[in-house]
Amino acid sequence: MSFKSLELAQPIQRAIEEEGYTEPTPIQAQAIPVVLSGKDLLAAAQTGTGKTAAFTLPMLQKLFRHKPNGKRRIRALVLTPTRELAAQVHASVKTYGRHLGLRSVEIYGGVSIYPQTKALRSGVDIVVATPGRLLDHLNQGHLDLSHVETLVLDEADRMLDMGFIHDIRKIIASLPHHRQTLLFSATFSNEIKRLSKTILHEPEMIAVAADNTTAERVKQTVHPVDRAKKADLLSYLIGTNNWQQVLVFTRTKHGADKLSKRLAQDGLPSTSIHGNKTQAARMKALKAFKDGRVRVLVATDVAARGIDIDRLGQVVNFDLPEVAEDYVHRIGRTGRAGNAGEAFSLVCIDEKHLLHRIEKLTDSRIEKVLVEGYHPDPSIKAEPVKKRGGNRRRKSTGGFGGGERGASRPQRGGNFKRRDRA
Ligand code: AMP
């Protein structure tokens, strides 16, 4: 199928061509005609499936085709769970809409409210926002949502997980009753079904890439290793395999900072991104990673939600997540839009039960590969995994900073040739 058969306006087709897309992804092929028909939509799609363009392209088309004369009013509202995702969706809106003459703004907390207020005053067609800051603006009378024609809830399951349900309901109460609503969610939980019943009107339903199909696109490997040797093993893997852009997940914010420092000491430019960092610091870290100035981005689950990095080759689970679904979200950061990706999990004896849960959820056995010099010590007994926020320093290991060094660790750092990134 080609984009031409979707009957998008010429300036949108041009932007798509400029992006180098040749054909729509399955979610785009299915969602775009539904959105253009004006129907409500309930779509199950994860990040990496091309879902952003699936709602943005037809939304832009409708705004472009029915430009009212006179004052510019907010006619489309996209809500996202995180600031990063709002910024990314807004970047897509600008990219795909670059030849349309529409105006848009991104609204989220953690940054000054003033430029947002100024942009709203000058008039915009599209608002991409996180719920909390949008409500602030609404309560202060900075915006009028009574002309919104299209509402998009992106990663709705995440928004519910993060406790935004009341904010969402308040926002929806200020929208016209007669509107088009598009709800995108990675999962169809009972909560999502309940929400969709109250805010969608006879929706079309689309499901692509169920949780475990993402897993199928990604080559997954488990490296059994002692906790004390995880950081050494990670440096070793990055160095020997010459990975240039690796996203690493840790369970805690403290763990992310500590690991990032440790990798930097090993000569691997690294930075971290988590909820304790300011928005500006998170954006800076993400940009440095995207630009290739740092090789390793260490992130917690919340901070990494919705991050879209083109052609991310490797994802590493330094710690396995407590919630098995997060594993699927994590590895979904690689192997994007049809590209093959790799996910590695460094699993210590304490985490065996977490691995078991993941294998059960994805209904698969993940290949276990022992790395020479990093075989787990069979005399180490499992200890309970400390809950997030707790002190993860362990008596038996002294934390991952103090582990033994593998004897055969190669030189790292500037000695490796940089792989061309196409
Ligand atoms: P998303 O699921 O919206 O986060 O998109 C994942 C990635 O796929 C982004 O980097 C998009 O730029 C890319 N993408 C979206 N649509 C297409 C397409 N039709 N062909 C190739 N890449 C695409």
Side-chain angles (χ1 to χ4, degrees), residues 231-244 246 263 266-268 295-296 314 374 408-417 419:
D232 285 347
L233 175 57
L234 179 59
S235 290
Y236 173 79
L237 290 172
I238 295 170
T240 46
N241 295 304
N242 197 16
W243 293 338
Q244 291 298 331
V246 196
L263 293 170
D266 282 352
L268 299 168
R295 265 168 89 171
V296 192
Q314 290 81 26
Y374 295 93
S408 61
R409 249 165 27 130
Q411 277 297 112
R412 288 184 299 271
N415 296 345
F416 292 101
K417 254 199 260 142
R419 197 192 300 150

Side-chain angles (χ1 to χ4, degrees), residues 3 71 121 132 173 191 201 203 302 362 379 387 409:
F3 273 108
K71 200 175 163 213
R121 265 205 211 106
E191 233 187 327
H201 178 68
V302 170
T362 56
S379 70
K387 286 280 172 209
R409 249 165 27 130

Side-chain angles (χ1 to χ4, degrees), residues 51-312:
K51 70 179 168 63
T52 314
F55 62 78
T56 305
L57 296 173
M59 178 182 92
L60 288 169
Q61 162 116 338
K62 294 179 76 185
L63 294 172
F64 175 67
R65 283 273 156 85
H66 310 285
K67 263 191 199 166
N69 296 324
K71 200 175 163 213
R72 226 177 254 275
R73 300 184 188 278
I74 300 169
R75 290 182 294 141
L77 172 64
V78 183
L79 293 178
T80 73
T82 64
R83 301 156 185 184
E84 284 80 8
L85 188 59
Q88 262 166 28
V89 170
H90 187 228
S92 296
V93 166
K94 288 206 291 198
T95 301
Y96 304 137
R98 65 163 81 97
H99 306 300
L100 300 178
L102 296 166
R103 294 228 300 249
S104 56
V105 66
E106 60 193 48
I107 301 266
Y108 45 76
V111 294
S112 164
I113 199 163
Y114 179 69
Q116 299 174 355
T117 315
K118 207 172 141 202
L120 287 168
R121 265 205 211 106
S122 70
V124 293
D125 304 279
I126 305 154
V127 171
V128 183
T130 54
R133 179 59 74 87
L134 186 75
L135 260 189
D136 289 347
H137 282 288
L138 202 56
N139 292 336
Q140 292 180 46
H142 296 160
L143 48 77
D144 172 10
L145 297 177
S146 66
H147 294 87
V148 168
E149 295 157 12
T150 309
L151 167 69
V152 182
L153 301 178
D154 192 13
E155 302 204 358
D157 50 346
R158 292 289 175 192
M159 287 200 271
L160 297 188
D161 285 352
M162 291 168 80
F164 283 135
I165 184 68
H166 297 298
D167 288 355
I168 291 172
R169 290 206 185 276
K170 276 186 215 154
I171 291 165
I172 288 179
S174 62
L175 301 178
H177 188 66
H178 184 75
R179 60 163 197 271
Q180 183 178 32
T181 306
L182 318 174
L183 188 151
F184 283 74
S185 178
T187 53
F188 276 166
S189 63
N190 287 337
E191 233 187 327
I192 286 290
K193 283 185 197 139
R194 262 200 306 277
L195 176 70
S196 62
K197 275 203 187 103
T198 57
I199 66 167
L200 299 178
H201 178 68
E202 297 177 2
E204 289 276 328
M205 292 189 35
I206 295 176
V208 299
D211 277 359
N212 41 10
T213 50
T214 307
E216 279 161 21
R217 272 195 290 123
V218 177
K219 179 170 167 16
Q220 300 164 72
T221 307
V222 161
H223 292 308
V225 61
D226 292 335
R227 185 178 292 279
K229 288 198 180 172
K230 280 191 179 189
D232 285 347
L233 175 57
L234 179 59
S235 290
Y236 173 79
L237 290 172
I238 295 170
T240 46
N241 295 304
N242 197 16
W243 293 338
Q244 291 298 331
Q245 203 179 33
V246 196
L247 179 61
V248 179
F249 284 95
T250 61
R251 208 159 30 229
T252 67
K253 300 169 193 169
H254 174 66
D257 281 339
K258 197 169 165 183
L259 180 59
S260 162
K261 281 195 192 116
R262 165 60 206 277
L263 293 170
Q265 281 166 10
D266 282 352
L268 299 168
S270 167
T271 188
S272 64
I273 162 169
H274 54 67
N276 281 1
K277 292 208 162 182
T278 62
Q279 181 58 21
R282 289 205 247 173
M283 290 298 199
K284 201 172 144 208
L286 194 56
K287 186 159 188 324
F289 184 60
K290 283 188 172 184
D291 293 350
R293 279 177 284 125
V294 299
R295 265 168 89 171
V296 192
L297 182 66
V298 187
T300 56
D301 288 294
V302 170
R305 247 156 232 171
I307 289 184
D308 174 27
I309 301 147
D310 280 346
R311 294 182 290 275
L312 185 59

Side-chain angles (χ1 to χ4, degrees), residues 320-333:
L320 283 185
E322 285 161 28
V323 179
E325 279 83 1
D326 282 344
Y327 175 84
V328 180
H329 285 287
R330 285 178 178 191
I331 71 168
R333 311 287 126 186

Side-chain angles (χ1 to χ4, degrees), residues 365-376:
R365 293 269 302 156
I366 305 172
E367 191 188 1
K368 320 283 177 303
V369 177
L370 288 167
V371 181
E372 202 48 55
Y374 295 93
H375 289 210

